[in-house]
Amino acid sequence: MTPEIKVKISAEVDKLEKGLDSGQASLLKFAKIGGAAIAAVAVGVVALTKASLANIDALAKQARSIGLSTQAFQKMTLVAGEAGIEAGKMAGMIGLMQRNIVELSQGTKLQVDSFKSLGLSIKDLQGLSPDEQFAKIADALDGISDPAQKTAIAMEVFGRSGREAINMISGYSEKVAEAAKFQNDFGISVAQSTSDGIERANDAVGRLSMVMTGFGNTMAGVVAPGIEAGANALIAWAQSIYGAEAALD
């Protein structure tokens, strides 16, 4: 009986060792794959962060140029983007709208007549932020049934891009409210304090790049004489070889 027990235990140990070896190989393989995956994810996260920094920085600067918070401009650009209007063009439209509202306040006949066609006066728009003014005008435009008149007034208020604005004004207030909710739900919306910090970070990175460029310039100046001397020595050496070949010929 004893020999049989020894054989059985030996067989079981062999299976265990094979299992452990197989498990170890699998773990090593997993570790290699896992390490590569982690590295790939890390690279992806860095790239995504860099892109986000650049995008938010640009958006914040555009928003500030037209007197809007980053959050307010974000929700507008989402609605605009889905209507085929890029952020830069949206900022341009709001800028022209603000200029025309100023002209309306000054009693400029063209703007008085245009806003009157919308059922709006300067009293309806004073004290509102640019995004609120845009919403009020968009809702008024949406109420005009004649497509030609709607386009003409939109171009008078928003400039040449007013024609494209027609694509986003239908149900605008509801669309922008839904856009704000979507951005808040998924952490897309950026608070003003955050966007300010991102702008400062981007500026710091830009200056660091300049510093490194300066460092490179300084190093180039330091090593230039040595490079020149080495290059001239190689040229002289090459000339001596060609001279020796000519003499042999």
Side-chain angles (χ1 to χ4, degrees), residues 7-194:
V7 170
K8 187 174 182 181
I9 291 173
S10 176
E12 292 296 332
V13 169
D14 288 342
K15 289 180 182 179
L16 177 60
E17 288 177 348
K18 288 179 181 179
L20 289 173
D21 289 342
S22 176
Q24 186 178 23
S26 298
L27 285 171
L28 289 172
K29 185 178 179 181
F30 177 77
K32 289 179 182 178
I33 295 172
I38 290 169
V41 169
V43 170
V45 168
V46 169
L48 182 62
T49 301
K50 186 176 180 182
S52 293
L53 284 170
N55 290 338
I56 294 169
D57 181 73
L59 197 69
K61 284 178 170 57
Q62 286 177 329
R64 187 181 298 107
S65 71
I66 51 177
L68 284 174
S69 68
T70 306
Q71 279 180 316
F73 192 50
Q74 270 188 303
K75 61 186 180 183
M76 294 183 77
T77 55
L78 176 55
V79 177
E82 291 176 346
I85 303 170
E86 61 183 18
K89 188 167 286 186
M90 185 72 211
M93 282 196 295
I94 296 172
L96 286 170
M97 175 199 75
Q98 290 174 307
R99 186 191 70 182
N100 291 329
I101 290 174
V102 170
E103 291 185 3
L104 172 65
S105 69
Q106 295 170 344
T108 305
K109 188 177 185 307
L110 175 61
Q111 297 307 329
V112 169
D113 292 342
S114 297
F115 282 94
K116 187 177 180 180
S117 300
L118 295 171
L120 297 173
S121 68
I122 189 61
K123 290 181 180 179
D124 299 311
L125 301 169
Q126 279 179 329
L128 300 179
S129 61
D131 56 318
E132 292 170 335
Q133 289 171 337
F134 186 92
K136 204 166 191 68
I137 293 168
D139 290 341
L141 275 169
D142 197 22
I144 297 175
S145 56
D146 183 355
Q149 184 186 14
K150 181 185 292 187
T151 301
I153 296 174
M155 291 179 70
E156 288 171 2
V157 175
F158 300 122
R160 292 181 181 179
S161 299
R163 183 185 293 107
E164 296 175 64
I166 298 299
N167 296 324
M168 64 182 287
I169 63 173
S170 178
Y172 176 77
S173 291
E174 291 77 13
K175 287 177 181 177
V176 81
E178 191 277 330
K181 183 179 183 304
F182 171 78
Q183 290 175 332
N184 287 329
D185 288 347
F186 290 94
I188 301 167
S189 182
V190 178
Q192 191 61 47
S193 58
T194 301

